[in-house]
């Protein structure tokens, strides 16, 4: 059994066991009433009831500690051990309830108490089937006082119970083991399905990242750029927040590849991508949309002075010399731009204007 399944079973057990205060109190009161109607001594009933209520208070305090958000795994195991001890004491006290009966009322009262005790046994097995250790220890603690009672007060009826009770408990334990196995298989299956779903989600997220990311520079690709542009257009329509886009096309990048090889060219693109990303704001989108082409979306950039400053910042990042292993390079780039709403209100119009301005700069070099 995998450890995570065992741990889930343990947590399920304690989650259910921590809600037993009221049923315990109610069961104790019912047993006390049954003993009272069977002419049991009031002092014995009160002592027995007081012990059960004391155990109920301890259980309640334990429950409050379990629900604390600061509880760790080691503390949880301690609480479970304490809960098992309390369960043993509760079961033993219920089993000892037979001793409350007066001798003259044993024949009529014993069957009633045996029936009630068997109900407790069955409820325990059904409720705590996920942890057979607890239910089996509980049943032993419940039955042992009954067997002692039958031995100390022998009669034909009690001898019959001496056979029937252990037989019934064996059947109940077998039922509990069957339920426990079914419970474990269900949790194991749920854990397996949960793991598969988590793996599916991870794979889906990885594929989404791959679909939106340039594998070389780890910037966004054209698809991500187009999506981000659509988002900004929607924001403009809703909030009328202007933005600008910038096209960056490296000048004479092909000779770099021809002279130094594609490895150096890739290093140049990677370093440039990092420069562009660090020089832009967190709210800006930087993407590689072609072999030596980059694009930026800058929300809130609307005034011509802001656009000029953005172009200067880009040129400063691009023209700073690159040291790529043993190769020293200096490059230039042509930068075009477009503003929404000044140059258009849709994707095609903005891209066309930015492309025209970029080629105008390139042709004037």
């Amino acid at each position: 059994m995998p450890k995570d399944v065992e741990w889930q079973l343990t947590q399920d057990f304690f989650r259910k066991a921590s809600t037993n205060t009221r049923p315990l109190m109610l069961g104790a009161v019912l047993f006390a009433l049954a003993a009272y109607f069977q002419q049991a001594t009031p002092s014995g009933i009160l002592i027995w009831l007081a012990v059960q209520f004391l155990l109920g208070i301890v259980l309640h305090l334990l429950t409050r500690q379990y629900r604390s958000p600061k509880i760790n795994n080691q503390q949880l195991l301690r609480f479970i051990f304490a809960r098992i001890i309390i369960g043993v004491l509760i079961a033993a006290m219920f089993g000892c309830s037979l001793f409350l009966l007066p001798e003259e009322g044993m024949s009529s009262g014993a069957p009633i108490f045996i029936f009630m005790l068997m109900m407790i046994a069955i409820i325990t097995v059904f409720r705590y089937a996920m942890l057979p250790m607890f239910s089996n220890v509980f049943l032993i603690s419940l039955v042992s006082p009954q067997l002692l009672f039958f031995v100390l007060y022998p009669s034909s009826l009690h001898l019959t119970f001496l056979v029937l009770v252990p037989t019934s408990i064996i059947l109940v334990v077998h039922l509990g083991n069957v339920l426990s196995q079914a419970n474990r298989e269900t949790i194991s299956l749920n854990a397996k399905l949960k793991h598969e779903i988590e793996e599916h989600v991870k794979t889906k997220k990885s594929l989404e990242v791959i679909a939106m990311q340039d594998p070389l520079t780890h910037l966004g690709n054209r698809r991500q750029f187009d999506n981000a542009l659509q988002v900004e257009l929607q924001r403009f329509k809703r909030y009328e927040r202007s933005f600008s886009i910038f096209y960056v096309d490296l000048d004479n990048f092909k000779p770099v590849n021809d002279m130094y090889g594609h490895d150096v060219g890739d290093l140049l693109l990677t370093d440039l991508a990092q420069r562009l990303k660090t020089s832009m704001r967190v709210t800006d989108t930087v993407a590689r949309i072609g072999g030596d082409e980059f694009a930026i979306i800058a929300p809130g950039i609307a005034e011509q002075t802001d656009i000029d400053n953005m172009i200067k910042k880009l040129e400063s990042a691009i023209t700073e010399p690159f040291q790529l292993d043993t190769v020293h390079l200096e490059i230039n780039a042509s930068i075009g731009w477009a503003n929404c709403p000044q140059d258009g209100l849709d994707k095609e119009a903005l891209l066309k204007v930015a492309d025209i301005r970029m080629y105008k700069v390139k042709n004037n070099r």
Side-chain angles (χ1 to χ4, degrees):
M1 182 67 61
K3 290 185 177 180
D4 55 344
V5 176
E6 290 287 357
W7 185 245
Q8 182 63 47
L9 288 166
T10 306
Q11 286 185 314
D12 288 348
F13 158 75
F14 201 82
R15 196 176 296 114
K16 289 184 177 181
S18 64
T19 61
N20 265 4
T21 305
R22 290 182 181 177
L24 169 64
M25 300 296 185
L26 178 60
V29 170
L30 290 176
F31 269 79
L33 289 175
Y36 176 77
F37 286 116
Q38 293 297 324
Q39 308 301 317
T41 57
S43 59
I45 295 174
L46 289 176
I47 293 173
W48 183 88
L49 197 59
V51 173
Q52 290 290 56
F53 269 70
L54 179 61
L55 291 172
I57 293 172
V58 174
L59 179 60
H60 176 69
L61 295 175
L62 191 68
T63 300
R64 292 183 61 183
Q65 289 294 323
Y66 166 72
R67 291 176 179 173
S68 171
K70 297 181 180 180
I71 188 172
N72 56 39
N73 292 349
Q74 188 175 6
Q75 289 173 325
L76 179 59
L77 290 175
R78 292 176 183 172
F79 288 146
I80 292 172
F81 179 75
R83 180 61 184 86
I84 292 175
I85 296 299
I86 294 174
V88 168
L89 294 175
I90 291 172
M93 286 301 298
F94 275 117
C96 289
S97 62
L98 283 169
F99 291 93
L100 296 175
L101 296 173
E103 290 189 15
E104 60 273 13
M106 286 184 181
S107 298
S108 59
I112 297 174
F113 274 67
I114 294 299
F115 174 77
M116 296 172 68
L117 290 170
M118 289 305 300
M119 290 298 100
I120 291 177
I122 294 173
I123 292 172
T124 300
V125 166
F126 272 92
R127 187 169 177 81
Y128 303 121
M130 79 291 293
L131 198 65
M133 178 183 68
F134 174 78
S135 58
N136 292 341
V137 171
F138 187 93
L139 292 177
I140 292 172
S141 303
L142 186 71
V143 172
S144 297
Q146 299 178 52
L147 299 180
L148 179 62
F149 176 81
F150 300 146
V151 172
L152 293 177
Y153 301 98
S155 68
S156 58
L157 180 62
H158 290 177
L159 290 176
T160 303
F161 283 143
L162 190 61
V163 176
L164 290 179
V165 169
T167 304
S168 301
I169 291 299
I170 290 173
L171 294 175
V172 171
V173 169
H174 175 71
L175 175 62
N177 290 333
V178 172
L179 292 173
S180 173
Q181 183 62 29
N183 202 342
R184 287 165 178 261
E185 289 176 356
T186 300
I187 292 179
S188 179
L189 178 60
N190 289 339
K192 182 179 179 181
L193 290 175
K194 181 180 178 182
H195 176 73
E196 290 179 354
I197 291 173
E198 289 175 349
E199 288 299 318
H200 175 74
V201 171
K202 289 180 182 178
T203 302
K204 183 179 178 182
K205 288 182 178 180
S206 299
L207 291 175
E208 289 175 352
V209 169
I210 293 172
M212 293 288 186
Q213 190 179 78
D214 175 56
L216 176 63
T217 62
H218 300 296
L219 295 177
N221 55 18
R222 178 175 286 278
R223 182 177 178 183
Q224 190 207 33
F225 174 79
D226 290 343
N227 290 346
L229 182 55
Q230 290 294 348
V231 170
E232 288 301 324
L233 288 169
Q234 291 297 324
R235 286 176 179 169
F236 174 77
K237 291 179 182 178
R238 186 171 183 179
Y239 305 110
E240 295 187 355
R241 187 178 72 168
S242 299
F243 67 92
S244 296
I245 64 172
F246 297 86
Y247 261 5
V248 178
D249 184 66
L250 300 185
D251 296 332
N252 300 318
F253 177 71
K254 187 176 183 300
V256 173
N257 280 333
D258 294 340
M259 184 177 297
Y260 300 106
H262 288 279
D263 290 341
V264 173
D266 289 347
L267 285 175
L268 175 61
L269 293 174
T270 302
D271 286 5
L272 176 60
Q274 187 62 32
R275 285 189 188 181
L276 294 177
K277 188 174 182 179
T278 54
S279 63
M280 296 294 101
R281 302 168 301 174
V282 176
T283 55
D284 297 337
T285 299
V286 183
R288 181 189 178 204
I289 59 174
D292 57 356
E293 295 178 350
F294 297 84
I296 296 98
I297 302 174
I301 301 297
E303 301 295 331
Q304 188 61 48
T305 54
D306 295 332
I307 294 172
D308 291 340
N309 289 334
M310 180 70 76
I311 292 175
K312 290 179 181 178
K313 186 185 293 186
L314 290 170
E315 289 177 341
S316 176
I318 295 168
T319 56
E320 182 180 347
F322 289 86
Q323 186 64 43
L324 308 172
D325 292 334
T326 59
V327 179
H328 183 83
L329 288 177
E330 294 182 9
I331 61 171
N332 288 309
S334 302
I335 303 174
W337 62 273
N339 173 262
C340 176
Q342 177 181 328
D343 297 309
L345 296 174
D346 58 69
K347 169 185 168 183
E348 288 72 19
L350 292 173
L351 295 181
K352 182 177 180 181
V353 171
D355 195 55
I356 291 173
R357 285 175 175 158
M358 185 266 291
Y359 276 105
K360 184 177 179 181
V361 172
K362 187 178 287 289
N363 292 331
N364 290 335
R365 288 191 181 278

